[in-house]
Amino acid sequence: MGGNPHKRLDQMDDLRDMGRFPVSVHAGATANVLLTILLTYGLRGRRGGALTLPAWSGGVISANVLPVILLRSRLDEGTHYPELPDMSFFGDQHKFASWVYAVASANMLVWIVLSWSLFSYRRDRWTLGGMLLLAFACTFFPVWVRPLRR
C-alpha cells in the first residue's frame, strides 16, 4: 500500500490510506451506504418530484457532515490523532484530513444517484437486493481484498 505505515488520521494524503482502516470503520461506512440505499428505495416509491432527488441528496450529505463540523470545532493543538489502523469508529471519524469528507460526500452522492436512477427504472425487491449487494461489494472491498494482497 505504499507510503508511511505509521501515518496518522490528519496526515492522510492518498485514497489508498483508507485500506489501512480497521474493519469496524469499513463496516460502519458500508452500513451507512446500505442504509442510505434502503431509505432511497423507500423514498423513491413515495416521492418523485423534480426536487426530491436534490433535496434527498443534500439532506443525506448534510446529516453525514454536520456532526463532523460540530465535533471538529472542539479540536485543538492538543488533539490526539491515532495511526490509521488504530482509529476508533466512533471516537475518531471527525479527525480525518479535510479532503476526505469531500471524497466521502461525493461517494455517497454517487450511491444515491445510482440507486435513485435504478429504482426509477425498475423498483422491486430483486433490484434492491442487487443494488445492496453491489454496494456491499464495492464499499467493503478494502477489507475483503486484504487476504489477496498477502
Side-chain angles (χ1 to χ4, degrees):
M1 263 181 264
N4 179 2
H6 302 287
K7 197 178 286 187
R8 297 191 175 281
L9 282 177
D10 61 328
Q11 298 169 330
M12 286 180 63
D13 59 358
D14 191 328
L15 282 174
R16 291 175 292 184
D17 291 337
M18 293 178 188
R20 292 193 188 96
F21 292 167
V23 172
S24 63
V25 172
H26 291 288
T30 299
N32 190 21
V33 169
L34 297 178
L35 176 61
T36 300
I37 291 170
L38 280 169
L39 293 172
T40 301
Y41 177 81
L43 180 65
R44 183 62 189 108
R46 290 174 178 71
R47 303 266 190 256
L51 296 178
T52 306
L53 176 59
W56 174 241
S57 300
V60 169
I61 291 170
S62 295
N64 279 283
V65 174
L66 186 59
V68 171
I69 292 169
L70 294 174
L71 289 169
R72 284 182 76 127
S73 70
R74 298 182 358 197
L75 299 180
D76 59 23
E77 299 82 32
T79 299
H80 170 71
Y81 293 91
E83 291 183 5
L84 297 176
D86 300 328
M87 73 175 284
S88 162
F89 176 72
F90 291 107
D92 295 321
Q93 291 230 1
H94 63 288
K95 297 177 184 176
F96 290 124
S98 296
W99 65 270
V100 175
Y101 302 106
V103 171
S105 296
N107 179 58
M108 184 61 82
L109 183 60
V110 166
W111 287 112
I112 292 169
V113 171
L114 179 62
S115 60
W116 186 275
S117 300
L118 184 61
F119 300 147
S120 295
Y121 174 72
R122 183 173 173 171
R123 192 178 171 281
D124 59 30
R125 291 178 195 252
W126 287 102
T127 307
L128 174 61
M131 187 67 200
L132 291 172
L133 186 61
L134 175 66
F136 176 79
C138 291
T139 58
F140 214 63
F141 176 81
V143 173
W144 62 262
V145 77
R146 285 178 184 174
L148 301 175
R149 288 198 170 130
R150 293 185 182 132

